[in-house]
Short mmCIF file of all heavy atoms in Angstrom, two decimals:
data_model
loop_
_atom_site.label_atom_id
_atom_site.label_comp_id
_atom_site.label_asym_id
_atom_site.label_seq_id
_atom_site.Cartn_x
_atom_site.Cartn_y
_atom_site.Cartn_z
N LEU A 4 1.83 40.10 6.07
CA LEU A 4 0.97 40.33 7.28
C LEU A 4 -0.50 40.57 6.90
O LEU A 4 -1.32 41.10 7.78
CB LEU A 4 1.46 41.45 8.13
CG LEU A 4 2.70 41.16 8.95
CD1 LEU A 4 3.21 42.34 9.76
CD2 LEU A 4 2.62 39.93 9.82
N GLU A 86 -11.80 38.14 3.21
CA GLU A 86 -11.72 38.04 1.72
C GLU A 86 -10.45 37.46 1.15
O GLU A 86 -9.87 38.02 0.26
CB GLU A 86 -12.03 39.43 1.17
CG GLU A 86 -13.45 39.89 1.38
CD GLU A 86 -13.71 41.24 0.75
OE1 GLU A 86 -12.86 41.98 0.48
OE2 GLU A 86 -14.96 41.46 0.52
N ALA A 126 3.30 23.60 -3.74
CA ALA A 126 3.45 23.72 -5.25
C ALA A 126 3.47 22.36 -5.83
O ALA A 126 3.96 21.37 -5.19
CB ALA A 126 4.78 24.42 -5.58
N THR A 151 -1.62 22.20 22.77
CA THR A 151 -1.33 23.35 23.59
C THR A 151 -0.44 24.35 22.89
O THR A 151 0.24 24.00 21.89
CB THR A 151 -0.73 23.03 24.96
OG1 THR A 151 0.56 22.58 24.78
CG2 THR A 151 -1.50 21.99 25.64
N PRO A 156 9.83 22.87 22.13
CA PRO A 156 10.57 21.77 21.45
C PRO A 156 10.17 21.58 20.04
O PRO A 156 11.13 21.26 19.21
CB PRO A 156 10.09 20.52 22.23
CG PRO A 156 9.51 20.98 23.50
CD PRO A 156 8.92 22.34 23.20
N VAL A 202 1.65 2.18 7.44
CA VAL A 202 1.69 2.20 8.93
C VAL A 202 1.77 3.58 9.44
O VAL A 202 2.50 4.39 8.90
CB VAL A 202 2.93 1.35 9.39
CG1 VAL A 202 3.04 1.34 10.86
CG2 VAL A 202 2.93 -0.05 8.78
N ASN A 207 -1.97 7.11 21.02
CA ASN A 207 -1.94 6.54 22.31
C ASN A 207 -1.41 7.60 23.34
O ASN A 207 -0.91 7.19 24.41
CB ASN A 207 -0.99 5.33 22.34
CG ASN A 207 0.40 5.66 21.87
OD1 ASN A 207 0.69 6.81 21.60
ND2 ASN A 207 1.25 4.74 21.73
N LEU A 261 15.36 11.07 4.02
CA LEU A 261 15.36 11.08 5.45
C LEU A 261 16.83 11.06 5.97
O LEU A 261 17.58 10.15 5.56
CB LEU A 261 14.63 9.84 6.03
CG LEU A 261 14.59 9.72 7.49
CD1 LEU A 261 13.63 10.74 8.11
CD2 LEU A 261 14.14 8.30 7.95
N ALA A 287 -12.96 17.55 -0.66
CA ALA A 287 -14.00 18.38 -1.29
C ALA A 287 -15.33 18.15 -0.57
O ALA A 287 -16.14 19.03 -0.41
CB ALA A 287 -14.08 18.00 -2.86
#
Side-chain angles (χ1 to χ4, degrees):
L4 285 182
E86 293 182 339
T151 72
V202 179
N207 59 4
L261 180 70

